[in-house]
Amino acid sequence: DLLLFYSSSEKKLVTLEEYKSRMKEDQKYIYYACGESVGKIDRLPQTELLRDHGYEILYCTDDVDEFALRMMREFDGKEFRSAVDGDLGLEDEPKPQESESDKECLAFIKETLGNRVDEVKASQKLKSHPVCMTSGEGLTFEMEKYFQAVQPELSMKAKRILEVNVAHPAFLKLESVRATDPELAKKYAEVLYNQALLIAGLPLADPSGYTDLVCSLWS
């Protein structure tokens, strides 16, 4: 009852009891999102769909926050659910319509990125943004960053799932050039992957190479 979290809707610290009192009738979960700061969490693409539903999100900016919520599991009968790393549990939300060409293009992106990602899939979270990276269940990216900082020798890494908005112009462009210019399509896939890493606050393997890649697309 003493825990306080920054609220996306109230714009101040609130208790879990206060959050629960404002939950919508159809809301099943207490949603939270983790990040380095309130400002960065506020701009995460993964939270857009929850905002459209009018759901309040708790912002977790301290290293201990996510560990604490995972340990608690639920509050007063309402389970905690990450807005960033897991399934949002919005059963009424229609699944993205994937054409055969979309599926082939997603497979092409996975083949291009290889073992750098565990999965590439059409996103149910994204609306106006092209891409994001999620970790699914288990170890999250914030947990990964924490362990990398305090126990780097453990080499603990979260699963990397690249979620793509198949209705976004960036994906449609990649899809259109895949058959005619596969090398250019691979460059687009690399850009989407690196953008997803940046949004998640994960390090780029080769920042200089990414800069050169983006600049090469201007020529």
Side-chain angles (χ1 to χ4, degrees):
D1 293 337
L2 299 178
L3 295 176
L4 294 171
F5 299 93
Y6 187 88
S7 161
S8 63
S9 58
E10 299 300 301
K11 305 301 180 185
K12 64 178 183 179
L13 295 172
V14 301
T15 65
L16 294 173
E17 185 59 47
E18 287 172 328
Y19 179 102
K20 188 170 184 291
S21 71
R22 290 189 292 269
M23 287 178 68
K24 293 182 174 291
E25 258 185 56
D26 63 341
Q27 187 176 340
K28 295 181 178 180
Y29 304 101
I30 296 175
Y31 290 104
Y32 70 92
C34 298
E36 294 177 11
S37 67
V38 165
K40 286 186 177 181
I41 299 173
D42 213 36
R43 294 188 293 272
L44 286 172
Q46 297 97 316
T47 63
E48 188 177 22
L49 190 57
L50 291 177
R51 295 174 194 280
D52 285 354
H53 279 69
Y55 293 161
E56 186 175 356
I57 307 168
L58 299 176
Y59 291 178
C60 301
T61 56
D62 292 329
D63 290 339
V64 71
D65 287 343
E66 190 161 29
F67 290 98
L69 294 178
R70 289 294 184 102
M71 289 289 289
M72 290 168 61
R73 298 182 66 86
E74 56 91 27
F75 173 78
D76 198 17
K78 291 292 184 179
E79 183 184 335
F80 295 110
R81 180 63 62 97
S82 171
V84 176
D85 298 298
D87 174 18
L88 296 179
L90 301 175
E91 296 172 2
D92 61 328
E93 191 65 29
K95 291 187 176 181
Q97 296 297 312
E98 293 178 68
S99 65
E100 224 21 73
S101 178
D102 290 340
K103 292 176 183 176
E104 290 174 5
C105 194
L106 292 171
F108 173 85
I109 295 173
K110 175 65 177 83
E111 183 182 354
T112 300
L113 301 178
N115 60 11
R116 285 177 287 171
V117 292
D118 296 278
E119 184 182 352
V120 177
K121 69 176 186 179
S123 179
Q124 289 182 258
K125 293 190 182 80
L126 299 172
K127 295 197 69 179
S128 63
H129 299 274
V131 71
C132 69
M133 191 78 75
T134 57
S135 62
E137 299 303 317
L139 191 71
T140 68
F141 295 137
E142 293 308 310
M143 290 178 175
E144 176 185 318
K145 292 175 204 173
Y146 172 78
F147 284 119
Q148 285 291 338
V150 298
Q151 290 180 293
E153 69 278 2
L154 294 179
S155 297
M156 296 183 72
K157 289 189 71 175
K159 191 175 181 181
R160 279 155 170 68
I161 302 171
L162 185 67
E163 295 198 19
V164 183
N165 182 352
V166 295
H168 195 277
F171 178 79
L172 297 177
K173 179 65 176 178
L174 191 160
E175 196 170 29
S176 69
V177 302
R178 180 172 56 88
T180 57
D181 193 344
E183 290 307 311
L184 178 58
K186 287 179 183 179
K187 289 184 178 181
Y188 288 153
E190 291 285 350
V191 169
L192 289 178
Y193 167 70
N194 282 281
Q195 285 180 337
L197 290 178
L198 288 170
I199 292 169
L202 296 168
L204 302 185
D206 183 5
S208 178
Y210 174 62
T211 303
D212 291 341
L213 170 63
V214 173
C215 290
S216 74
L217 296 174
W218 296 350
S219 58

